[in-house]
Every structure is written in C-alpha cells, then in structure tokens.
C-alpha cells in the first residue's frame, strides 16, 4: 500500500533492539533471530462508489505480482478481510521480516520494484492514486515478535484457499512469585498436548508486543478450515485437556499456575485471508 511505505520508513528510525527468542518447533531455529511481524489495520473506503470489489482486487493483485512477490527481503505477507470484529471495514496487511534490518531493505526494494513496474512517473502516480481511493486515511500499526511454539500450515495451504484466522489477544501479567523458566515449561506442555494434537487447528502462530499501543499484548492466531471449525477446535481443546490431565485436581493445578501469567482479559477477532495475495 502507498501509505505503508511512508509508515515503515518512519518506523525504521525506532527499530533499535533485537532479541533471540526461538520461534519454531525445529531445534535448529533456536540459533536464529525470531521474525518480526508488522500488522497494519487499514479500513475500506465505503464512500468510494466508483470502483468494485473486483477492481480493488485487480489493483492489489497487480501490485502483489509486480512488487510484493518479488521483494526478497520480505519473508511473507497476507491480506485479510473482516469476518467478525469491531469494524466491518477492517483490512489487515500483514508483513513478516527476518529481522529489523530487513524491514528497511524491504522498503527500499519496494520503491525499486515499483519504478521497474511503472517506469513512467505519471503512470506510477496514477496507479497508487487509484489504489489509495479504496482506503480511508485511518490506519493503525502494531509490531510483534514471533514466539516459540508455532504450528505451521502445511503445503502453502494459505496460498491455495481462503481459511479462517482466529486472533485471540490476551494481556500478559508479571507475577512476583514466578519461577525462572516456569512459563516456558507450562507453555511447552500445553502446546504439545492440547494445540499440536488438535486436528482442527491447521496452523498456530503466537507472538507478543514489540512496538505498539499495549506492551502487555500476547497474540495467538489459530488457523482453521471454516467458521464451524472454530467451535470444533475449542471443543477439542477441552477434550484434549481432560485427556492429558484426567484428574480434576491436576488439571486445576496446571491452569492455576498457567493463568497467573495472564490478566484474564482477552479479545477475539475473526478474519479470512485472500490466497492470491499471500506470499
């Protein structure tokens, strides 16, 4: 998006810290830097009535084919549309980068690829002018750090069909009586016995706040086949939990320890991806 270029150029001036949290189930990934995830929440411009949904898609697909798909500094990207959230106009623009340095390189590369695709200044300006009409001036941005425990979608499934992405945003707590390494141990046990064994969860991506509105944000993205599978996945979590901790007291003890690392507040959002715009 045109406004995304300007946004990232400003953000790069603030990106000064790197961390070393592992981000996948592969032990080799422990030696790598965790990816950086930038989520821009844009808003569809309902006041613009001259264009159609197909016209919007054609512009985005052209930009994706000529710029995003060719940018070697961007690990991945997705465009997601509102299903159930507080605002039906929401459009999520998600970009994944290897590290902070790759963000600035990707911004520069976007500019180069745009000039290659539309070499004439007037033609390039006309394209971005058309594209921007489909969005309002309002947008918000959050930067997250990918965390360990991801369950990755198989066979580029997100590029082949539309799926349902269930975002659950929780707030982290920082208990004074916490033990070193306790939350990592608890999460590992929960992931291995409840998330990974859940046949309805096709993908799982945890991340936490790095730069944005609320430093407590802990985001879990569950990918399922359909709206109906959201409920099935949640029901299966309960069944798997009882299978792993069949005794009520043992199960209660685990969740008491686990839940002390969260405030108890959470929010839920549902989106769907556009496969043709996924990298």
């Amino acid at each position: 998006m045109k406004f995304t270029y300007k946004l990232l150029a400003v953000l790069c001036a603030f990106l000064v810290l790197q961390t070393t949290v592992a981000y996948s189930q592969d032990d080799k990934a422990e030696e790598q830097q965790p990816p950086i995830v930038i989520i821009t929440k844009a808003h569809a411009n309902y006041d613009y009535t001259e264009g159609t949904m197909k016209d919007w898609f054609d512009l985005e697909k052209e930009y994706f084919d000529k710029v995003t798909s060719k940018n070697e500094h961007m690990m991945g990207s997705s465009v997601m549309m509102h299903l159930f959230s507080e605002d039906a106009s929401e459009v999520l623009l998600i970009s994944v980068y290897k590290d902070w340095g790759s963000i600035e390189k990707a911004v520069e590369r976007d500019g180069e690829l745009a000039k290659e695709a539309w070499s004439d200044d007037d033609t390039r300006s006309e394209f971005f002018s058309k594209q921007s009409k489909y969005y309002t001036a309002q947008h918000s941005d959050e930067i997250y750090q990918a965390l360990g425990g991801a369950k990755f979608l198989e066979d580029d499934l997100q590029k082949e069909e539309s799926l349902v992405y269930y975002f659950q945003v929780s707030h982290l707590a920082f208990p004074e009586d916490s033990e070193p390494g306790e939350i990592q141990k608890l999460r590992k046990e929960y992931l291995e016995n409840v998330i990974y064994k859940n046949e309805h969860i096709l993908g799982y991506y945890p991340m936490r706040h790095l730069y944005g509105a609320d430093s407590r944000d802990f985001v879990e993205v569950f990918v399922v086949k359909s709206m109906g599978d959201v409920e099935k996945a949640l029901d299966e979590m309960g069944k798997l939990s009882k299978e792993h901790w069949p005794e009520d007291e043992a199960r209660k003890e685990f969740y008491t320890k686990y839940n002390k690392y969260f405030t108890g507040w959470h929010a839920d959002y549902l989106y769907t991806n556009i496969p043709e715009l996924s990298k």
Side-chain angles (χ1 to χ4, degrees):
M1 296 298 173
K2 183 178 180 182
F3 54 77
T4 306
Y5 303 151
K6 298 179 180 178
L7 163 70
L8 293 182
V10 173
L11 289 175
C12 286
F14 295 96
L15 304 182
V16 296
L17 179 65
Q18 294 192 37
T19 56
T20 57
V21 178
Y23 61 90
S24 82
Q25 295 168 248
D26 188 346
D27 291 339
K28 294 180 181 179
E30 294 182 0
E31 299 177 358
Q32 302 176 21
Q33 294 290 335
I36 304 299
V37 182
I38 297 181
I39 300 181
T40 294
K41 183 186 292 184
H43 295 270
N45 181 12
Y46 292 145
D47 291 332
Y48 181 61
T49 58
E50 295 181 17
T52 65
M53 188 69 178
K54 183 181 183 303
D55 295 332
W56 168 82
F57 174 80
D58 288 343
L59 287 170
E60 293 299 330
K61 187 65 167 65
E62 182 178 359
Y63 182 81
F64 177 83
D65 290 341
K66 294 179 177 180
V67 179
T68 303
S69 65
K70 296 181 179 181
N71 194 324
E72 66 273 23
H73 301 295
M74 184 183 294
M75 291 177 62
S77 69
S78 296
V79 176
M80 297 189 186
M81 310 295 290
H82 154 96
L83 283 177
F84 281 97
S85 63
E86 62 185 0
D87 190 335
S89 72
E90 291 176 355
V91 181
L92 297 189
L93 312 174
I94 304 175
S95 302
V96 183
Y97 303 91
K98 179 181 178 181
D99 50 35
W100 292 128
S102 296
I103 298 174
E104 186 173 7
K105 292 177 182 177
V107 173
E108 294 176 355
R109 185 61 175 145
D110 275 352
E112 295 171 355
L113 290 167
K115 288 182 178 180
E116 291 176 10
W118 303 279
S119 56
D120 180 74
D121 290 345
D122 290 337
T123 301
R124 188 166 63 255
S125 178
E126 180 182 0
F127 175 85
F128 286 121
S129 178
K130 288 181 180 178
Q131 187 186 43
S132 65
K133 289 179 180 179
Y134 288 89
Y135 300 92
T136 69
Q138 177 190 2
H139 74 271
S140 61
D141 312 285
E142 297 287 341
I143 303 178
Y144 299 98
Q145 172 189 291
L147 295 178
K151 179 180 180 180
F152 295 99
L153 283 169
E154 297 181 357
D155 301 322
D156 292 328
L157 188 58
Q158 74 275 20
K159 300 179 183 179
E160 299 174 2
E161 59 182 289
S162 294
L163 301 170
V164 173
Y165 288 71
Y166 167 37
F167 284 64
Q168 184 174 93
V169 182
S170 304
H171 282 168
L172 293 170
F174 305 92
E176 295 182 358
D177 61 343
S178 63
E179 300 177 7
E182 181 180 43
I183 183 58
Q184 289 84 357
K185 181 180 178 181
L186 292 169
R187 271 185 51 74
K188 185 174 185 294
E189 183 176 1
Y190 181 77
L191 291 173
E192 290 178 349
N193 293 284
V194 178
I195 300 300
Y196 300 157
K197 292 181 180 180
N198 194 319
E199 62 182 357
H200 302 292
I201 298 176
L202 305 177
Y204 170 75
Y205 301 93
M207 61 190 87
R208 68 155 300 171
H209 164 274
L210 203 54
Y211 188 91
D214 197 324
S215 62
R216 300 170 299 172
D217 281 352
F218 175 71
V219 181
E220 296 173 281
V221 182
F222 302 84
V223 189
V224 297
K225 191 82 170 179
S226 65
M227 294 282 286
D229 281 347
V230 174
E231 184 175 1
K232 291 178 182 178
L234 294 175
D235 288 342
E236 187 67 12
M237 286 182 188
K239 294 177 183 179
L240 290 169
S241 179
K242 289 182 178 180
E243 287 179 9
H244 182 65
W245 299 282
E247 299 295 330
D248 291 344
E249 287 301 318
R251 191 165 61 253
K252 181 179 179 181
E253 180 182 1
F254 174 86
Y255 284 110
T256 296
K257 290 181 179 178
Y258 186 78
N259 289 335
K260 73 180 182 181
Y261 289 94
F262 300 90
T263 66
W265 177 93
H266 78 272
D268 306 285
Y269 310 89
L270 291 176
Y271 300 93
T272 185
N273 65 309
I274 300 178
E276 298 87 346
L277 303 180
S278 296
K279 178 178 178 179

